[in-house]
Amino acid sequence: MAIIQASDADFKNVLEGNERVVVKYYADWCGNCRLFTPKFKRLAANEEFANVAFVDVNAETSPEARKLAGVTNLPFFAVFKNGELVEGSATSKEEYVVEMVRKLA
Amino acid sequence: MKIPAIKQLVETQTLESLRAAEEQLLNEETPAFEIIGEDEGEKLTHVFGAIFILNHMEDKGSDFKTALREFTQKVRVSIN
C-alpha cells in the first residue's frame, strides 16, 4: 500500500478514514528519519500489514498531529486504532516498529 | 545531535562535499571525510545541519551563530 503523506490539514481525516494507522513522524533535518524511509516503504508493502494505513507526517510543520502522539524525538512512530492512540515511541529500530504495528492486528 | 560536530563540518567542508557525503551515507557508503556521530543516522543529521547552515549563510548573508540558531530552532520546533 502507498504511504499517505498527511499534515495538520488532513491528519484527523486520515485517522477517521482508516481503522488501523501507523504514523512515522519525521523532519528534513533528521538523519535517522531519512534512513528509515526505505524500511517504512517495505513495511507498507508487506502483505501482513495490508489492513494498516502507513502515514508520513512532517513533525516540524504539523504541530497538531505531533501533539496527538506526544512526539518527543525523531523519528517517532505512533499507532492508532479507531482514531485513538494505542502506542507511540521514538525509535530507529525496524523490529520495534514491526511489533508496534502487529499490536494493531 | 552534537553542535560541535556540525560546526566542524561547516568550518572544514563545502556544500558540494557535504552533498556527496549525504549521498554516500544514504547509499551505505563511507564518506570521503570523517563525520562525528554515534551512528549513520546521527552523522547524516550533522551533514544536514551543516548543509542548512551553509545555505543559510550564503542565501541570507548571515553569520554562523545566526544560521546555527535557525537550525536549532527547527529542531526544537519539531519535537516540542
Side-chain angles (χ1 to χ4, degrees), chain A residues 16-75:
Chain A
E16 287 168 6
N18 296 278
E19 185 182 353
R20 298 174 177 85
V21 177
V22 55
V23 184
K24 183 187 84 176
Y25 293 90
Y26 71 95
D28 293 340
W29 54 262
C30 169
N32 273 316
C33 300
R34 181 78 72 86
L35 290 176
F36 206 93
T37 297
K39 299 171 189 171
F40 204 54
K41 281 184 185 166
R42 192 164 59 233
L43 292 179
N46 188 334
E47 282 295 316
E48 182 185 350
F49 305 129
N51 62 350
V52 179
F54 284 72
V55 180
D56 264 337
V57 170
N58 186 328
E60 185 182 346
T61 57
S62 295
E64 296 305 320
R66 193 175 72 226
K67 282 168 190 165
L68 275 178
V71 173
T72 54
N73 207 341
L74 295 176

Side-chain angles (χ1 to χ4, degrees), chain B residues 9 13 17-18 20-26 28-35 40 43-44 47:
Chain B
L9 292 177
Q13 301 301 322
S17 66
L18 288 165
E22 174 187 345
E23 283 301 310
Q24 287 163 326
L25 286 168
L26 288 172
E28 298 181 6
E29 298 165 1
T30 305
F33 51 90
E34 187 187 0
I35 302 168
E40 303 309 286
K43 289 179 183 179
L44 194 52
V47 169

Side-chain angles (χ1 to χ4, degrees), chain B residues 39-61:
Chain B
D39 53 31
E40 303 309 286
E42 190 180 43
K43 289 179 183 179
L44 194 52
T45 295
H46 293 157
V47 169
F48 287 155
I51 289 173
F52 176 89
I53 288 167
L54 283 173
N55 272 327
H56 196 281
M57 291 168 71
E58 192 174 299
D59 296 344
K60 315 252 182 190

